[in-house]
Structures are given as C-alpha cells and as structure tokens.
Amino acid sequence: MMPTAETISKLLADIVGRPVTAKKLPPIPLTGPGMRVVAVYESDDDSIAGACICDLTFAAQAAAALVMLPSATAQESIVAGKCSPPLLENLGEILSMCRQWFQQSGGHVRSPRLYQTPCTFPPQIVKLLATPKRRLDLEVAISGYRSGRLTVAE
C-alpha cells in the first residue's frame, strides 16, 4: 500500500526534527536529464519492493537537515551537480528509515541500495522506473531548507 503525503511528511519530520510539508505534484519522467538519487528497496526474496526517487535538491537539502548543516552547504552539492559523499551517506540514513513504506504484512524489506545518476541500472530497476504500478510524486519542504521533489514508486 502506497504511503500518503501526510504519512511521508510525518515520518520525515520525525527523522529530521523539523516541520515538513509534502504536496502532491503531477508525475514527471523518472529517468532522463537531471541528477537523481534512487533508493531501491528489496524484499528478502530479492524482489523489488519499491523505490524512492529524489531530485538533487531534495537529496542534498534533506541530507543537510538530518545533521543540521545549513541549507547553503546543501546548495554547494546542488551547484556541483551531485551529492557529496557525506550528504549521500546522510540521505541513505533517511531513506533507510523510509523502508517501512514498502513493507507488506509479515514481510521484511532491507535497507535500500542507493544509485546516483547518471548510472547503469539493472533491468528490473529500469522497468520499475519506466512503468511503476503505483507512484506518488511530491514536493517536499523541510522548514529552513529548499523544497525538492520526491517520488515513491512501486
């Protein structure tokens, strides 16, 4: 079952310790130009349970918010065109806690595997990004940081 915008904003607020709002947006292509961080969640049977696709702004700003770095620090990564290794690690911590969005009753979902585009995805991830069964596209704003885009896909 897909999480709601409210569920997502509540969990992210709990993680970063700041108010978070999430507003639904129309879908955009999940592949193509623009840097993204893709977190792929797998079940114990190695099937893909879902993915979170973060634009660079959300990725860097959320990662900075987790450890109370200023938004300007995240902006440096945005200008550079990719998340710095420390910010990517912080984002991984956030997205690891988000795996609950993909857990089915009684099932277990492992911490996500992170991909920073451009990269080569395995075929099953290419399929998920091209034609997800369900998806939720959001603009996520963390108080004190720039808003960015987060897509949750199954």
Side-chain angles (χ1 to χ4, degrees):
M1 178 180 222
M2 289 292 288
T4 64
E6 183 179 329
T7 303
I8 289 170
S9 63
K10 181 173 179 355
L11 178 62
L12 292 174
D14 288 346
I15 293 169
V16 299
R18 291 176 165 267
V20 175
T21 59
K23 179 177 77 174
K24 286 177 92 171
L25 294 174
I28 62 166
L30 298 177
T31 58
M35 197 301 250
R36 295 171 185 81
V37 175
V38 178
V40 178
Y41 301 84
E42 295 177 337
S43 301
D44 282 336
D45 64 2
D46 293 330
S47 65
I48 294 179
C52 287
I53 301 92
C54 311
D55 73 1
L56 180 56
T57 303
F58 174 79
Q61 296 288 332
L66 178 67
V67 293
M68 296 182 283
L69 290 172
S71 178
T73 301
Q75 188 61 29
E76 292 170 11
S77 280
I78 295 165
V79 169
K82 68 178 193 171
C83 270
S84 67
L87 288 181
L88 195 58
E89 184 177 331
N90 294 345
L91 182 65
E93 293 294 325
I94 293 169
L95 294 172
S96 182
M97 290 181 245
C98 297
R99 70 181 176 215
Q100 65 187 332
W101 297 336
F102 303 103
Q103 288 185 272
Q104 304 299 321
S105 60
H108 177 261
V109 174
R110 296 189 296 259
S111 290
R113 194 174 306 179
L114 296 183
Y115 297 87
Q116 189 166 202
T117 64
C119 66
T120 302
F121 291 111
Q124 66 272 29
I125 297 170
V126 171
K127 181 180 177 187
L128 172 67
L129 296 176
T131 56
K133 293 176 188 152
R134 288 177 291 282
R135 66 185 279 176
L136 177 61
D137 292 80
L138 301 169
E139 178 182 13
V140 178
I142 299 170
S143 179
Y145 293 84
R146 288 183 49 208
S147 63
R149 190 172 188 114
L150 170 68
T151 299
V152 179
E154 296 183 319

